[in-house]
Amino acid sequence: MTQSYTALITGGGQGLGRATALEMAANGINVLITDINEDAVKETVSLISDAGRIHYIIQDVTAEDAPLQAVQAAIEYFGGLDWLINNAGIGKSKSLMDTSDADWDRYSDLNLRSVFRMSKAAIPHMQAGRGAIINLGSIFGLLGNPGTAPYAATKAAVMGLTKQMATDLGPQGIRVNAIAPGLIKTPLTAERIDHDRNFQKLMVETTPFQRVGRPEDIANAIYFLCSDKASFINGHTLVVDGGWSTSNYVYSALNEI
Ligand SMILES: NC(=O)c1ccc[n+]([C@@H]2O[C@H](COP(=O)([O-])OP(=O)(O)OC[C@H]3O[C@@H](n4cnc5c(N)ncnc54)[C@H](O)[C@@H]3O)[C@@H](O)[C@H]2O)c1
């Protein structure tokens, strides 16, 4: 029998990381989640019925020793590491002129540098034919959008890095892909989705599916890209956005609001 896969998911305390942890565990994958928020992580763990399938550590993913600590924990608890989901990140950034140097560094450290450092620590433990890395990009890193310069820049860089990693690691039998989620309702976005009318116009009424995404929409795509079903997919960014970025759909132009 094939040995169970082990996935390390950063930012597994809520939102997309939590949904991915639940999806993985439900499919018999061992899961190590890391997060800075202890209460949130414990809640994620409590939602998984097979307690032996999930472990967590509390860490700031940007801390110097975070990658080593996370990888060692996966090996200690589960005996190896196969999949890395670089998910922890922050959103809600500002336009270029409103962004301070400190803001810029914070986005770079968390959304981009941690992806590079976490991957570097994990790759030596991955086996040919089993190893897979998924980086969380964004549709905001594919298209220009109002008022989101540092976030968009870091996400574009993550998707660029994904192609470079896929090229370098392909010969070792490790696949690297990215997901570019559209607007997904999580604690990161819920406030704006529910209360910001301009944001609703920009994001929801311009989505042909006429809804925001659910965390499970992304978790399913991440699990697929890690699994053997995606065995020849490498260096790809999978857009999961209900058609937002590929259409000129405007609900109000077609229908009375
Ligand atoms: N929700 C969306 O619409 C959307 C769209 C595109 C991309 N994304 C990306 O998907 C990823 C997850 O987004 P989400 O919506 O689930 O966000 P979220 O804020 O709901 O969850 C992020 C998790 O990361 C953790 N985290 C934050 N900073 C951390 C740090 N320094 N160290 C460790 N953990 C930390 C948080 O505690 C939280 O549990 C992010 O990279 C985000 O940019 C989200």
Side-chain angles (χ1 to χ4, degrees), residues 172-253:
Q172 295 176 42
I174 297 170
R175 295 180 300 107
V176 186
N177 292 291
I179 300 274
L183 180 61
I184 315 296
K185 193 164 187 179
T186 68
L188 178 72
T189 55
E191 169 75 22
R192 288 187 83 188
I193 289 171
D194 290 342
H195 302 295
D196 183 337
R197 186 71 193 110
N198 284 336
F199 195 60
Q200 290 166 359
K201 281 192 210 157
L202 182 71
M203 299 303 304
V204 187
E205 287 161 21
T206 48
T207 297
F209 259 34
Q210 282 292 288
R211 70 165 172 88
V212 296
R214 304 178 186 110
E216 304 78 51
D217 294 324
I218 303 303
N220 290 338
I222 291 174
Y223 177 58
F224 162 69
L225 282 179
C226 286
S227 75
D228 293 344
K229 305 255 185 221
S231 58
F232 204 52
I233 302 179
N234 193 27
H236 184 67
T237 292
L238 181 59
V239 176
V240 184
D241 70 347
W244 182 85
S245 60
T246 48
S247 73
N248 280 321
Y249 184 84
V250 182
Y251 179 85
S252 58

Side-chain angles (χ1 to χ4, degrees), residues 135 157-167 176-178 235-237:
N135 297 325
V158 161
M159 294 184 282
L161 177 64
T162 299
K163 293 180 199 164
Q164 304 312 317
M165 289 168 67
T167 308
V176 186
N177 292 291
H236 184 67
T237 292

Side-chain angles (χ1 to χ4, degrees), residues 40-215:
V41 167
K42 285 183 171 164
E43 201 177 316
T44 300
V45 169
S46 74
L47 296 170
I48 293 175
S49 53
D50 185 353
R53 199 55 86 198
I54 180 136
H55 283 283
Y56 71 88
I57 58 169
I58 307 303
Q59 63 172 203
D60 179 341
V61 78
T62 65
E64 211 49 36
D65 59 353
L68 197 61
Q69 202 187 35
V71 169
Q72 277 175 349
I75 291 165
E76 184 188 322
Y77 288 130
F78 299 119
L81 175 59
D82 302 294
W83 301 345
L84 169 65
I85 320 303
N86 282 310
N87 166 76
I90 39 169
K92 294 180 186 158
S93 71
K94 302 171 188 156
S95 67
L96 183 93
M97 294 307 287
D98 291 332
T99 299
S100 67
D101 287 3
D103 290 337
W104 184 267
D105 290 345
R106 180 79 190 128
Y107 279 90
S108 301
D109 275 356
L110 183 43
N111 288 4
L112 180 58
R113 189 169 182 268
S114 78
V115 172
F116 149 71
R117 295 191 71 244
M118 211 35 103
S119 302
K120 241 181 124 178
I123 288 161
H125 301 279
M126 292 180 172
Q127 291 173 29
R130 286 177 67 98
I133 298 177
I134 309 296
N135 297 325
L136 267 292
S138 170
I139 47 169
F140 280 17
L142 295 171
L143 299 169
N145 282 282
T148 188
Y151 177 77
T154 54
K155 291 300 183 180
V158 161
M159 294 184 282
L161 177 64
T162 299
K163 293 180 199 164
Q164 304 312 317
M165 289 168 67
T167 308
D168 286 341
L169 298 170
Q172 295 176 42
I174 297 170
R175 295 180 300 107
V176 186
N177 292 291
I179 300 274
L183 180 61
I184 315 296
K185 193 164 187 179
T186 68
L188 178 72
T189 55
E191 169 75 22
R192 288 187 83 188
I193 289 171
D194 290 342
H195 302 295
D196 183 337
R197 186 71 193 110
N198 284 336
F199 195 60
Q200 290 166 359
K201 281 192 210 157
L202 182 71
M203 299 303 304
V204 187
E205 287 161 21
T206 48
T207 297
F209 259 34
Q210 282 292 288
R211 70 165 172 88
V212 296
R214 304 178 186 110

